Amino acid sequence: MATKTQAFAGGGSSSLPPGGLSLTEISQKLENQKIPIVTHIISDEDIGNVVGEKLQTVDLERVLKVLTDPHYAGLYDRHVMAIERLLRHYKQGFLMKDLVQVRRILNICADRIEEGLVCYVEPLVDCLCVCALPFLMEKASDELAYRQISVETASQLAFLMRVDVSRVRLQIVGRWRRSTTASRRHKTYNQAICEESDISETLVRTLKLLDKDLTVRLAVISLLQKLSGNSTRCCIQMLSVNAAYTLCSRMTDPDPSGELLFRSVEILWNLMQHGDSEQVAKQLACQECVAQLREAFVYLLPRTFSVFDRQLRNDVLVLVQLLAATDCRAPFIEVGFLKQLTLFATFEEVKSHSPLVRNLKLSKNHEDFELKKLLISTLVSLSSDPCALPVLSEGHFMLALLSYVKPNEPTSKPRELPPAYVEELQLLALSALATVGPKMQADFVSCNGCNRLLELLFWCTEASDDYLGYGNAFHGAGGRGSKRAQMRRTLRAISAMVTTNNPDILADFVDQDAIGALSEILASSVSAGNRTGQAATAAVNDDDTIDLEMKREMLGILSGLCENSLHNKDLFGPSGVATLVQFLRTDPGLLSSGLGHYQLVIGAIDAVWCCVVGSYTTEDCFLEREGVYLLLDLLERCPSDLHSLILGVLLDLSENEKTLPHLKTWKGGREVTAPHLFCALWRDTEASIGCPRRPDGSIAQAAVTPQPANWPSRSIVEVAENVRAKIYALFYRIGFVDLPGINAEDHVTLTLIERYLDYKLGEVWDEVQRELELEQVRPVTPDREALDWINKCTEQETLLVAKTQSELMDAKRDQEVSEEQALYSELREDHRQKEKAINDFSDFVARTSDYSKLREAKTRQLASIEASRIVPLQQDGAAFHSTELVNLQA
């Protein structure tokens, strides 16, 4: 009865003939087919040479005994015949349960070949041909049961690359290359087997043995390319055995086909993408690899005849850029690569007589355009190394960048780059200038960089120009149809140069009227509101992130120009102050919008500090425009992160005596005054830093945690970390008495604020004492007495303040009780009047309904009238006239 044998992880129908083919023909057939590692169910008829022939079992242990038994040691022909008989039986593939014995047979053959017995070459090649077929399963569960054996078999097959026979090595590589082209399900399983085994590591190690065999070497590199293309785990395994160094150090070896360089670059790309880029850079950061990259790039640079060569050249340069960005201290200078890169990047802008660029010319195609951008980006990355700056200066890199800082033309000449390409290079040059400029300040000044940047800035603000931006690439975001992209990058470059605080650069910008120009641009942006237009300043929208960023950059530039110069602050003048005040009117509700208003307000506050404070002229203008009121309004409603900055500005402004009335007369929401606001901020700060206070606001004792002597003093660091010192200084200016709008709780807080400096001194001395105790240092007697006296004074001061606070709280409670009793008295009087009104109404109803009660009321009324009269002294004979009216009903 025929049996059936399942193929390991099979799928699809087999295209192998039922029999009659030799192993060599089967191998040739497999070369042209995509064979999965697993095939479908195979019947006995498929395995037998004759239809209906039963499956004859082969004892693998007997074959192993023939190969290893000392009695058969010299019978090589019998060994070969036993292996051939085995292969005829397993010509459809080996069973998974037999893989352990198969591995032993392969190892025996490999060892015999290494001993010089060439008669085992053909059997080993035939065994590998069968191993290229799918492994067979007898049960569906064999795929899981023998998974580890499959992994070990894969590793063993790769380890056979040690055999110095080209046919064997090519067969091994071909077996795994075909397994990577199987169907989707089998490809996933094959990839898992490859990742769990050490195939990748073994193949990388094998490259060191293939220096003289280019064919096998290319085959191995091709397989490594496929393994690293979509497997992170394989890339990690390859990097663990220095794959990047191994490939890069020999990628420019002679190769007529050019395949070696291409595939080596592709594998390095895969390692960068799927592996650890830092580890790749570390392996490439040696003189040997950098020299190979230099040779490859110089070799490919003039080869611009095909798109393939240009793309490969750019791929090599991308690897160089990634290496430079990851490790700028790689030996680019030592091998002369940096000097050549500078030459290639600047030869179009700066004429050179170097033979390397004498016949070199870049065309208008996309690959050459990308090459230009890559060269600039690579040099910017390498500029992080201080040793590279002299080379860049010698190569006139700054002059090449500044050659793009000029107005753009809407059209181009026939042999020039398109306007879109020119704009993209211009924006990239401006971005590079913002990075390289501060490191090459002398070159920037010598090339008249300030004047070039300001001229480009003025061109960006012109609305009459018909140039419309293209807004391509990263640097051109938001610039389509306008000059905003150029203006944005120009402002960034100017800001980067201003932050250097180089006196020559700052003076050059001021001489070019940068302060007035930026103030005018800001004023026009504020007045433009939501209008749109072609010019950058005419296209301002308060909800646009790019516009907010440009405003912030301009405020930062003005701050840098005016910070340390009283003359520049005067140049800022009333017009600048008027513009600055408009930014302080920003709605605090927009600070959390995430569009950039928060940074814009910070820039405005910093501009007040740098451009206004210190000059009486600008300070008076700021006060006239209610700048202090706006700062206090912002302080009341802004996040806590801005409190320190605003209080610092107010503190410096308070040195001007004209500021104090503004602080005392300001009233915010719910009639809040500045002293009350400062006290509230003090309490909030203490709550945030964990200062112990009782519920009524008075002082509570706090535990002191001793700190080691090598730690920074918490008492001193605390002064800079919160706003209490600034609040104390402000109260010191405006006074601690006769303050408007403060309540009892504020009075309690003021008693603590008034003694802040004394407490801070006591806290510092207490820390000194605690640190001495922690380090077990005993002060001398005079110092001990001084410390005790200081502690005693601090404790007395604390007790005095606590007593004062208690008295204030008692007075507050007495006042509250008195006010409560007065309120109760008013309530009682109100109730008494209501009762009297009710009684009067009841009496009136009774009089109108009962005549007897009316007469009684009349009698009481007459008696009351009579009793209220003054009895006259009536003389005898005098006339008396009655004043009563008779017949009245009331």
Side-chain angles (χ1 to χ4, degrees):
M1 181 176 181
T3 61
K4 291 188 176 181
T5 303
Q6 279 191 336
F8 166 39
S13 60
S14 175
S15 59
L16 292 176
L21 295 178
S22 65
L23 293 173
T24 303
E25 293 174 341
I26 293 175
S27 176
Q28 294 176 355
K29 187 75 173 179
L30 291 174
E31 290 291 340
N32 301 323
Q33 297 180 6
K34 296 181 179 180
I35 303 299
I37 200 170
V38 179
T39 184
H40 67 302
I41 297 177
I42 302 173
S43 65
D44 293 340
E45 286 76 8
D46 295 330
I47 295 178
N49 292 329
V50 180
V51 177
E53 181 181 353
K54 293 185 179 180
L55 178 63
Q56 301 293 331
T57 61
V58 175
D59 190 357
L60 290 175
E61 293 295 337
R62 184 175 179 180
V63 175
L64 287 172
K65 183 177 180 180
V66 171
L67 294 175
T68 58
D69 195 332
H71 298 89
Y72 296 91
L75 304 178
Y76 303 127
D77 294 338
R78 183 168 293 186
H79 295 174
V80 173
M81 291 176 60
I83 295 175
E84 289 179 352
R85 184 167 57 251
L86 174 69
L87 296 178
R88 283 196 299 270
H89 179 75
Y90 286 106
K91 61 183 178 181
Q92 290 287 352
F94 291 113
L95 292 173
M96 295 187 67
K97 68 176 184 178
D98 297 333
L99 290 179
V100 176
Q101 291 87 347
V102 172
R103 292 206 309 265
R104 293 179 59 188
I105 294 174
L106 293 175
N107 284 330
I108 292 172
C109 294
D111 295 339
R112 301 285 171 81
I113 294 173
E114 290 179 346
E115 294 174 0
L117 300 176
V118 297
C119 61
Y120 288 91
V121 173
E122 194 67 30
L124 180 58
V125 173
D126 292 341
C127 287
L128 292 175
C129 289
V130 178
C131 289
L133 298 174
F135 298 147
L136 304 179
M137 297 187 301
E138 290 184 328
K139 302 176 182 179
S141 61
D142 287 354
E143 182 176 343
L144 298 177
Y146 297 103
R147 183 183 182 91
Q148 184 60 32
I149 295 178
S150 301
V151 172
E152 295 174 358
T153 303
S155 301
Q156 186 61 45
L157 288 175
F159 189 67
L160 292 178
M161 293 292 292
R162 72 183 189 274
V163 179
D164 190 11
V165 177
S166 299
R167 290 180 59 196
V168 174
R169 291 171 173 173
L170 289 174
Q171 186 62 38
I172 296 172
V173 174
R175 183 256 183 275
W176 289 111
R177 187 170 62 247
R178 287 191 296 271
S179 69
T180 59
T181 60
S183 62
R184 189 172 192 180
R185 174 176 176 267
H186 309 118
K187 186 176 181 180
T188 302
Y189 186 85
N190 296 344
Q191 181 177 346
I193 295 296
C194 293
E195 291 177 350
E196 295 178 16
S197 63
D198 56 355
I199 295 176
S200 302
E201 301 178 20
T202 305
L203 291 176
V204 173
R205 291 191 179 99
T206 305
L207 289 175
K208 300 177 182 179
L209 308 175
L210 304 176
D211 294 341
K212 298 180 181 179
D213 195 342
L214 182 60
T215 303
V216 179
R217 186 179 176 187
L218 291 176
V220 172
I221 291 178
S222 176
L223 179 56
L224 287 174
Q225 179 185 354
K226 292 185 177 181
L227 293 177
S228 62
N230 54 3
S231 175
T232 302
R233 191 168 178 179
C234 288
C235 291
I236 295 175
Q237 292 177 359
M238 293 169 62
L239 289 175
S240 65
V241 290
N242 294 328
Y245 170 80
T246 304
L247 291 166
C248 185
S249 60
R250 302 301 300 273
M251 67 180 183
T252 58
D253 288 356
D255 177 23
S257 65
E259 187 177 352
L260 176 62
L261 178 59
F262 165 72
R263 296 193 182 277
S264 299
V265 172
E266 185 69 21
I267 295 174
L268 292 176
W269 261 80
N270 294 337
L271 293 177
M272 280 280 190
Q273 182 177 1
H274 301 294
D276 187 357
S277 59
E278 294 183 0
Q279 189 176 0
V280 176
K282 185 178 180 180
Q283 296 180 15
L284 297 180
C286 61
Q287 291 192 11
E288 188 176 357
C289 292
V290 175
Q292 289 289 314
L293 291 172
R294 177 181 63 83
E295 293 180 8
F297 181 72
V298 174
Y299 168 75
L300 293 170
L301 184 61
R303 299 172 61 89
T304 59
F305 309 108
S306 65
V307 176
F308 171 79
D309 291 332
R310 293 195 296 267
Q311 290 179 347
L312 182 58
R313 172 201 62 191
N314 291 354
D315 291 344
V316 174
L317 188 55
V318 170
L319 289 176
V320 175
Q321 181 189 7
L322 293 175
L323 175 59
T326 307
D327 185 5
C328 64
R329 297 186 180 274
F332 290 96
I333 303 175
E334 290 79 356
V335 301
F337 198 13
L338 176 60
K339 186 174 182 179
Q340 291 181 343
L341 288 174
T342 307
L343 175 64
F344 297 145
T346 61
F347 79 96
E348 290 186 321
E349 296 80 15
V350 181
K351 300 302 179 183
S352 174
H353 299 286
S354 174
L356 292 175
V357 296
R358 183 174 301 169
N359 299 321
L360 181 63
K361 184 173 179 61
L362 301 180
S363 60
K364 298 189 296 182
N365 57 65
H366 180 71
E367 291 79 14
D368 287 348
F369 170 65
E370 292 294 332
L371 172 68
K372 188 70 175 180
K373 295 196 299 181
L374 287 172
L375 286 170
I376 296 176
S377 301
T378 304
L379 293 180
V380 171
S381 299
L382 290 173
S383 66
S384 301
D385 185 7
C387 299
L389 298 179
V391 181
L392 296 177
S393 178
E394 182 182 355
H396 306 287
F397 182 55
M398 179 61 65
L399 180 60
L401 292 179
L402 289 174
S403 64
Y404 291 97
V405 184
K406 60 183 179 180
N408 291 344
E409 298 294 335
T411 58
S412 62
K413 296 181 181 179
R415 303 191 65 178
E416 294 181 350
L417 289 174
Y421 283 5
V422 174
E423 179 189 73
E424 196 167 342
L425 287 176
Q426 180 190 51
L427 296 176
L428 179 61
L430 289 171
S431 179
L433 191 62
T435 304
V436 180
K439 305 171 185 176
M440 304 174 64
Q441 301 177 23
D443 293 348
F444 180 81
V445 174
S446 63
C447 295
N448 200 14
C450 298
N451 187 24
R452 293 179 185 233
L453 288 174
L454 289 177
E455 285 183 357
L456 183 61
L457 181 63
F458 295 151
W459 172 76
C460 293
T461 60
E462 294 178 358
S464 59
D465 197 286
D466 57 351
Y467 179 81
L468 299 178
Y470 294 89
N472 296 332
F474 168 76
H475 298 289
R480 179 174 294 275
S482 66
K483 305 174 187 176
R484 290 203 310 171
Q486 286 83 355
M487 185 174 182
R488 182 186 184 187
R489 297 298 166 181
T490 303
L491 289 174
R492 284 192 179 183
I494 296 174
S495 177
M497 300 311 302
V498 169
T499 53
T500 60
N501 291 325
N502 188 320
D504 297 333
I505 295 177
L506 296 181
D508 199 357
F509 276 121
V510 174
D511 293 342
Q512 299 291 336
D513 194 24
I515 296 177
L518 292 174
S519 299
E520 183 178 354
I521 295 172
L522 283 173
S524 62
S525 68
V526 172
S527 62
N530 294 326
R531 292 201 310 269
T532 58
Q534 292 182 353
T537 56
V540 176
N541 185 350
D542 290 338
D543 294 332
D544 191 282
T545 305
I546 297 178
D547 287 323
L548 294 175
E549 178 187 342
M550 290 192 294
K551 294 175 185 178
R552 185 175 68 251
E553 292 287 356
M554 287 186 278
L555 290 174
I557 294 170
L558 290 173
S559 300
L561 294 175
C562 301
E563 183 176 6
N564 299 317
S565 175
L566 183 61
H567 172 67
N568 294 346
K569 292 180 180 181
D570 293 335
L571 291 177
F572 187 71
S575 59
V577 172
T579 304
L580 201 56
V581 167
Q582 297 298 323
F583 289 108
L584 294 179
R585 299 182 185 276
T586 302
D587 184 7
L590 296 175
L591 299 182
S592 58
S593 63
L595 297 176
H597 293 88
Y598 183 83
Q599 293 81 0
L600 180 62
V601 170
I602 292 178
I605 297 173
D606 184 64
V608 173
W609 214 335
C610 299
C611 302
V612 176
V613 176
S615 173
Y616 288 108
T617 303
T618 53
E619 284 183 0
D620 291 344
C621 294
F622 187 72
L623 295 176
E624 290 176 1
R625 294 184 175 274
E626 300 180 349
V628 174
Y629 292 162
L630 294 175
L631 287 174
L632 289 172
D633 291 338
L634 194 59
L635 178 64
E636 183 184 13
R637 301 177 57 189
C638 71
S640 59
D641 299 341
L642 297 179
H643 289 168
S644 180
L645 186 62
I646 298 175
L647 288 173
V649 176
L650 291 174
L651 182 59
D652 287 347
L653 282 173
S654 64
E655 294 182 1
N656 189 339
E657 296 295 334
K658 298 179 182 179
T659 306
L660 301 181
H662 290 256
L663 293 175
K664 293 180 179 180
T665 58
W666 173 83
K667 287 187 178 181
R670 299 181 180 179
E671 299 298 320
V672 174
T673 61
H676 175 76
L677 178 60
F678 295 156
C679 291
L681 291 177
W682 180 283
R683 291 190 291 270
D684 294 341
T685 302
E686 287 188 338
S688 63
I689 63 178
C691 286
R693 299 287 293 274
R694 294 193 181 95
D696 57 6
S698 59
I699 300 175
Q701 296 295 327
V704 178
T705 304
Q707 301 292 341
N710 58 348
W711 285 25
S713 174
R714 294 180 59 184
S715 302
I716 303 303
V717 172
E718 184 266 344
V719 175
E721 288 181 347
N722 56 67
V723 300
R724 294 197 296 177
K726 295 182 177 65
I727 294 175
Y728 166 77
L730 281 170
F731 273 112
Y732 185 80
R733 297 279 173 80
I734 63 178
F736 293 93
V737 295
D738 298 332
L739 298 175
I742 59 175
N743 52 31
E745 187 179 7
D746 296 335
H747 280 292
V748 173
T749 305
L750 277 174
T751 58
L752 187 59
I753 297 175
E754 190 174 2
R755 301 291 192 278
Y756 173 74
L757 187 58
D758 298 333
Y759 282 143
K760 183 56 63 178
L761 292 174
E763 185 180 359
V764 172
W765 282 111
D766 186 68
E767 278 196 4
V768 172
Q769 183 177 357
R770 297 286 182 175
E771 290 176 1
L772 292 176
E773 293 176 357
L774 184 66
E775 297 178 359
Q776 298 181 357
V777 176
R778 181 185 178 280
V780 296
T781 303
D783 292 342
R784 179 74 266 174
E785 293 176 354
L787 288 174
D788 292 340
W789 182 82
I790 292 173
N791 290 337
K792 184 177 179 180
C793 292
T794 303
E795 291 176 0
Q796 291 178 354
E797 189 74 21
T798 303
L799 293 175
L800 178 61
V801 173
K803 181 180 179 181
T804 304
Q805 290 181 335
S806 300
E807 293 176 353
L808 289 172
M809 297 309 299
D810 292 341
K812 178 184 177 182
R813 283 192 291 270
D814 294 341
Q815 182 180 358
E816 291 177 352
V817 171
S818 176
E819 293 176 354
E820 183 180 2
Q821 293 299 328
L823 178 60
Y824 287 154
S825 300
E826 292 180 2
L827 292 176
R828 286 194 296 268
E829 184 66 25
D830 184 55
H831 283 287
R832 186 181 299 112
Q833 293 297 331
K834 289 182 179 180
E835 291 176 359
K836 183 178 179 300
I838 294 174
N839 294 333
D840 291 344
F841 181 73
S842 300
D843 188 48
F844 173 74
V845 173
R847 291 197 310 269
T848 56
S849 60
D850 191 348
Y851 180 73
S852 60
K853 291 185 178 180
L854 178 61
R855 292 186 60 183
E856 293 177 359
K858 180 65 175 179
T859 304
R860 287 195 303 270
Q861 181 182 15
L862 293 176
S864 176
I865 294 173
E866 188 66 28
S868 65
R869 290 175 177 169
I870 299 176
V871 179
L873 298 176
Q874 186 174 357
Q875 299 178 359
D876 296 338
F880 176 76
H881 301 280
S882 177
T883 59
E884 294 181 359
L885 298 178
V886 298
N887 297 327
L888 290 180
Q889 302 300 323

